[in-house]
C-alpha cells in the first residue's frame, strides 16, 4: 500500500558548526500507511517536535526527503502543505483565534489552505453543519456558536481545535502533546475525541505524548525516539499486551541504555 507519509534519511542539526552543534535527528526512515495512528514517545529533547516541525515544513530539512502520497514535499512551503497536513499544539491558544467566535473559527478552518482572505461574514448554510459537528463532541458546544473562543475552557478549545484540524479531512494530522496542558479528566475527554475523529474519518496521525499509558492505549503503532534515532517501532500486535514496564524493558534491550527509572521518558 502506498504510504501517506514517507520520511527518508531525515537529518536535522541545530547550531551547526558551533560548539553547541546538536545533531537532533540522525537518519530517520519511516513510512506511515493510510489510517496509521502513530504515537511517539521519547525524553525531553529527543527530537519529537523537530520531527513534526520537519514534516509540517516549519523547519527546513537539512538532509533527507519527505513524501506525502508519493509527492515530494521536502521543499514545499508550509502554506501549501497545510492543505493536506494539519496540526494541533500543546497550548489551546495556538489552534484558535481568541477574539473570534466559535463559528468564525470553524469558518476559518473550512477555508484552511485556501489563499482567499477571510471574511467575517459566515454563510448560514454552514451554521447547521457547524452545529452538527459541535454536537458530535458531546461537550454542549453546539449552542455556543456565537461565543468568543477566548471565553471557553482549555479543554473546550482543544476539542474545537481538533474539530477544526479534521474538518477538511487532512491526509495527515500532527498532534504535539495536545493534551499536556489539560487536567487529567479533560485530557481523557480530548484523547477519546482524538481517537474517535481519527478512526471515523480514517485519518493518518502522528501523536507526540509524554504519557506512556496514552502512547500504549491509543493508536496502532508506537515509536520511541532516542538520540535522534528510532529506538523502538512497535506494531499493533506488539502493542496489544504492552505495559509501561514491558516498554521500558524493550527499550533497554534495543538501545542498550540502562534505565534506573522511567524518568528519562516521563521527564
Ligand atoms: N530552533 C531551534 N534552535 C536550536 N535548537 C533547537 C531548536 N529547536 C529545538 N532545538 C533543540 O533540539 C533538541 C530537540 O528538541 P525538540 O523540541 O525536538 O525535542 P522534543 O523531543 O520535542 O522535547 P520535549 O519533550 O521537551 O518537547 C533540543 O535539544 C532542543 O533544545
Ligand atoms: Mg516537543
Amino acid at each position: 500500500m502506498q504510504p501517506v507519509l514517507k520520511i527518508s534519511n531525515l537529518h536535522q542539526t541545530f547550531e551547526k558548526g558551533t560548539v553547541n552543534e546538536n545533531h537532533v535527528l540522525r537518519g530517520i526512515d519511516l513510512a506511515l500507511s493510510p489510517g496509521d495512528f502513530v504515537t511517539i514517545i521519547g525524553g525531553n529533547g529527543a527530537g519529537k517536535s523537530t520531527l513534526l516541525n520537519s514534516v509540517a515544513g516549519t523547519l527546513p530539512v537539512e538532509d533527507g526527503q519527505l513524501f506525502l502520497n508519493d509527492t515530494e514535499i521536502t521543499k514545499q512551503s508550509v502554506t501549501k502543505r497545510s492543505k493536506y497536513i494539519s496540526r494541533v499544539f500543546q497550548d489551546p491558544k495556538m489552534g484558535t483565534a481568541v477574539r473570534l467566535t466559535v463559528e468564525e473559527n470553524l469558518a476559518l478552518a473550512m477555508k484552511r489552505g485556501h489563499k482567499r482572505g477571510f471574511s467575517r461574514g459566515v454563510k448560514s448554510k454552514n451554521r447547521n453543519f457547524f452545529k452538527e459537528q459541535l454536537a458530535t463532541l458531546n461537550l454542549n458546544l453546539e449552542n455556543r456558536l456565537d461565543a468568543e473562543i477566548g471565553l471557553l475552557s482549555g479543554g473546550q478549545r482543544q476539542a474545537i481545535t481538533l474539530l477544526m484540524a479534521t474538518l477538511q479531512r487532512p491526509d495527515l494530522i500532527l498532534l504535539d502533546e495536545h493534551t499536556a496542558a489539560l487536567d487529567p479528566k479533560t485530557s481523557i475527554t480530548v484523547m477519546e475525541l482524538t481517537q474517535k475523529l481519527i478512526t471515523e474519518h480514517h485519518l493518518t496521525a502522528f501523536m507526540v505524548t509524554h504519557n506512556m499509558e496514552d502512547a500504549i492505549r491509543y493508536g496502532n503503532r508506537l515509536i520511541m525516539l532516542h538520540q535522534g534515532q528510532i529506538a523502538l517501532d512497535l506494531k499493533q500486535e506488539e502493542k496489544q499486551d504492552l505495559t509501561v514496564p514491558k516498554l521500558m524493558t524493550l527499550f533497554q534491550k534495543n538501545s542498550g541504555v540502562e534505565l534506573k527509572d522511567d524518568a528519562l521518558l516521563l521527564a
Side-chain angles (χ1 to χ4, degrees), residues 48-49 176-177 208:
K48 305 179 296 297
S49 296
D176 196 348
E177 298 191 54
V208 172

Side-chain angles (χ1 to χ4, degrees), residues 25-78:
L25 298 181
R26 298 168 178 253
I28 301 286
D29 285 305
L30 202 57
L32 265 59
S33 302
D36 263 354
F37 178 3
V38 182
T39 58
I40 308 174
I41 55 171
N44 285 121
K48 305 179 296 297
S49 296
T50 301
L51 180 62
L52 264 52
N53 290 338
S54 308
V55 173
T58 50
L59 188 67
V61 166
E62 178 196 343
D63 199 14
Q65 288 174 297
L66 301 169
F67 298 88
L68 194 73
N69 296 320
D70 251 8
T71 303
E72 180 162 9
I73 57 158
T74 317
K75 295 200 165 126
Q76 206 175 65
S77 72
V78 177

